Amino acid sequence: GQDNIELGQIGFHNNNVSGANGDFVVKTRPNGTSAERLRITSSGRGLSQFTAKAWVNYSGTGTVAINDSHNVSSITDVATGAYRVNFSNNLANSSFSAVGNSSKSGGSATASNSSVSYIGEGRATSYVSVETYRADGSTLRDSAHINVAVFGD
């Protein structure tokens, strides 16, 4: 097959090395200079500035369990309402953007069963910290449904 295809200002490239399955790369040529915009790795990961580098939906009550995820290897239950989301593949740096949310534990919303989430101060290329609090904002509590998405390099 053809490894390189150029369509005006957009190019597609399959960096197939020695017959092994390679990455699929989309490049643009602004001002005549080739710039990579999207890479789909042979393992199926999408890499670009506009795709989440990692995301996870997990249960933070009882035994912490991942319901679904991308590029998340595990969740560490640090303490009540405190978790560490561990990445399968490290990010390029720790200057990433992370967002999260959590749900109340059921029934009508009250100060004791509602949850607010914060991305914690702990972060590295291999993890991000997450904290869930009661609606008072000062009492840590486990939450049944927690979601985190990470964007960066």
Side-chain angles (χ1 to χ4, degrees):
Q2 193 171 9
D3 287 340
N4 292 296
I5 299 172
E6 299 248 348
L7 303 171
Q9 297 294 314
I10 300 173
F12 302 92
H13 175 75
N14 179 6
N15 63 351
N16 194 351
V17 180
S18 301
N21 290 330
D23 297 348
F24 177 76
V25 180
V26 176
K27 296 181 177 182
T28 60
R29 290 186 174 271
N31 304 321
T33 303
S34 180
E36 184 173 312
R37 299 299 182 202
L38 172 66
R39 176 178 295 267
I40 307 295
T41 67
S42 59
S43 65
R45 293 186 311 124
L47 306 175
S48 75
Q49 286 297 90
F50 56 87
T51 59
K53 295 298 185 272
W55 60 262
V56 65
N57 168 287
Y58 66 98
S59 172
T61 58
T63 301
V64 174
I66 295 174
N67 299 317
D68 201 1
S69 69
H70 167 69
N71 196 30
V72 172
S73 60
S74 64
I75 307 293
T76 304
D77 190 352
V78 177
T80 299
Y83 312 92
R84 179 178 284 181
V85 175
N86 302 297
F87 306 134
S88 301
N89 297 288
N90 287 355
L91 277 64
N93 58 59
S94 61
S95 298
F96 52 80
S97 174
V99 294
N101 66 18
S102 60
S103 67
K104 62 185 182 64
S105 59
S108 298
T110 66
S112 63
N113 79 349
S114 295
S115 260
V116 292
S117 300
Y118 298 100
I119 299 301
E121 293 177 13
R123 66 175 51 215
T125 58
S126 60
Y127 74 90
V128 63
S129 296
V130 177
E131 299 171 348
T132 58
Y133 290 84
R134 287 175 38 166
D136 64 16
S138 62
T139 306
L140 283 162
R141 69 179 300 274
D142 287 343
S143 184
H145 304 284
I146 304 168
N147 305 287
V148 177
V150 177
F151 297 85
D153 294 324

